Amino acid sequence: MKAIIPAAGLGTRLRPLTFTRPKPVLRVANEPIIRHAIKTLQEAGIEEIGVVVSDMTRDEIQHALRNVKSPAITLINQHEQLGLGHAVLVAREWVGDSDFCVYLGDNLFEFGAQPFIQRFTKDHPDALIALVEVADPTAFGVARMDGERILQLVEKPKVPPSNLAVAGIYCFTQRIFDILGVLKPSERGEYEITDAIQALIESGGQVTGQQVQGWWKDTGRPVDLLDANRLLLERVVPEIKGEVINSRISGRVSIPASAKVVNSKIVGPVLIGENVVIEDAYIGPFTSIGRDTSIRHAEVEHSVIDAETIIENLDTRLQDCLIGVRAQVRGGRKIPRTHKLTVSDASIIELA
């Protein structure tokens, strides 16, 4: 099998972070989201991966994937963003005669893609769709089921036929391309993958639904990035290689050899990147800190701190924060007790 990762969108719901970078390269647990997706597919045995990019996302995606160890990652151009169905269709020539998986690169699954790909390979329906139980099905595409067979997909129904929403993994045979080739755009002018799957069902195709086991996270909003970071940091392997001077480290904390911690307290799970300096600081649980960052005279917890960031001289704790690349947060004299920040790349915030 091959796999397609759609990565042409800009992620407007994650602004201001996505004013300067596309959503798939934002980091959780110190890795771009798209690299988590590729790792998941590789663990499922898929090596040939096509990443669908736009003119605006291509360079950033290419940069984020520069060190990925894979024999076959191909960037596929989608010059117009006309929906997920269109993103799949533009990859048709690259897919060739293979079966394939579509993995939404901003989704994370506790047990990855392997359970779905194994089931699809074993039973070989025309399509297999990942489904997840949700509290409010009206906000999703929802499946009407007969056992494990999907009878109908309804997009954001007022009266949901079930509480099973479509998640971010789809497995297809070549038959879906015949549907997409003649599919008409929806009212919003896009080629919807749910419309294509519904047409496949109506033409007699076998479409199977498989429920997600474990957690599932769509990282479409800032709060979702923080939650995804938390879930991934639950897997941190404690490893202290860096220089630790007059400091207290507890819980699952990873400190690489190039990092330095001085006169500080760190309570895991915490993941620290290369060349990070932490001095006279407190780093609380569920915090990831990107490479070449310095945190001095400050307290941070439950936050995602990206690379080359400076945080210093704060008299209050930063909590639930997303801090972008090369951002600076510096303290002043009058400060309330807590701050909750989403800071885009290269920003400078002075708290006075």
Side-chain angles (χ1 to χ4, degrees):
M1 287 184 70
K2 295 183 178 181
I4 299 169
I5 300 177
L10 297 178
T12 56
R13 290 185 298 166
L14 281 167
R15 289 177 177 170
L17 293 173
T18 51
F19 274 128
T20 55
R21 290 180 292 164
K23 176 170 60 174
V25 307
L26 298 180
R27 292 174 180 259
V28 288
N30 281 357
E31 287 282 355
I33 297 170
I34 194 169
R35 292 179 68 155
H36 289 288
I38 287 172
K39 181 180 178 181
T40 289
L41 292 168
Q42 290 175 330
E43 289 173 346
I46 295 179
E47 291 292 344
E48 292 186 83
I49 300 170
V51 182
V52 179
V53 297
S54 66
D55 299 334
M56 295 185 67
T57 67
R58 183 184 181 91
D59 290 347
E60 287 282 357
I61 297 292
Q62 191 169 36
H63 182 73
L65 298 180
R66 67 195 183 283
N67 296 323
V68 173
K69 296 179 181 179
S70 175
I73 293 180
T74 303
L75 300 187
I76 302 165
N77 289 321
Q78 183 188 18
H79 296 297
E80 292 183 278
Q81 284 67 71
L82 299 176
L84 180 55
H86 183 258
V88 174
L89 189 59
V90 299
R92 183 174 192 170
E93 182 178 349
W94 175 82
V95 170
D97 296 329
S98 299
D99 293 336
F100 65 101
C101 165
V102 178
Y103 186 102
L104 302 189
D106 57 356
N107 280 224
L108 296 169
F109 296 81
E110 182 173 4
F111 299 115
Q114 189 167 13
F116 306 96
I117 291 169
Q118 285 181 338
R119 175 71 180 279
F120 177 77
T121 303
K122 175 177 175 289
D123 296 345
H124 207 244
D126 295 300
L128 183 143
I129 314 299
L131 300 173
V132 62
E133 292 186 353
V134 296
D136 180 16
T138 61
F140 297 89
V142 180
R144 182 166 68 88
M145 308 292 295
D146 179 12
E148 292 187 331
R149 185 162 186 166
I150 298 178
L151 300 179
Q152 183 184 22
L153 288 179
V154 186
E155 189 66 30
K156 298 180 181 178
K158 293 182 179 179
V159 182
S162 74
N163 67 341
L164 294 175
V166 176
I169 296 178
Y170 311 77
C171 297
F172 294 113
T173 66
Q174 288 284 305
R175 192 170 177 182
I176 196 67
F177 284 129
D178 297 332
I179 302 292
L180 288 169
V182 297
L183 190 69
K184 294 181 179 179
S186 65
E187 291 182 356
R188 60 178 184 168
E190 296 189 351
Y191 296 87
E192 313 284 357
I193 197 68
T194 50
D195 290 347
I197 297 168
Q198 183 60 39
L200 181 60
I201 294 169
E202 292 171 359
S203 67
Q206 182 182 353
V207 178
T208 300
Q210 178 167 323
Q211 289 194 47
V212 173
Q213 302 299 313
W215 54 257
W216 163 75
K217 178 57 61 175
D218 177 354
T219 59
R221 302 170 301 162
V223 65
D224 299 319
L225 282 178
L226 288 169
D227 202 34
N229 195 64
R230 176 185 65 81
L231 291 167
L232 291 173
L233 290 187
E234 291 282 11
R235 304 174 179 176
V236 166
V237 177
E239 186 176 51
I240 300 175
K241 294 183 177 180
E243 186 177 7
V244 178
I245 302 171
N246 193 31
S247 298
R248 179 181 173 187
I249 312 294
S250 62
R252 286 172 287 119
V253 178
S254 177
I255 304 175
S258 60
K260 184 176 182 178
V261 179
V262 181
N263 298 329
S264 297
K265 179 179 179 181
I266 302 178
V267 179
V270 168
L271 183 60
I272 294 174
E274 298 287 344
N275 302 309
V276 167
V277 176
I278 297 171
E279 186 175 350
D280 295 306
Y282 166 79
I283 309 298
F286 303 110
T287 300
S288 60
I289 302 171
R291 60 172 178 81
D292 300 307
T293 286
S294 63
I295 300 177
R296 293 183 170 90
H297 305 285
E299 299 184 0
V300 182
E301 71 177 8
H302 198 264
S303 295
V304 177
I305 312 300
D306 216 320
E308 302 176 52
T309 293
I310 297 173
I311 299 173
E312 61 183 18
N313 300 325
L314 303 182
D315 292 335
T316 189
R317 182 172 298 177
L318 298 182
Q319 181 175 305
D320 301 330
C321 296
L322 297 167
I323 311 294
V325 176
R326 295 184 299 279
Q328 299 180 25
V329 181
R330 303 178 186 272
R333 290 179 301 222
K334 287 186 178 180
I335 306 177
R337 289 191 302 165
T338 62
H339 295 291
K340 182 176 179 179
L341 303 173
T342 299
V343 183
S344 188
D345 303 345
S347 301
I348 297 176
I349 293 179
E350 295 185 0
L351 304 173

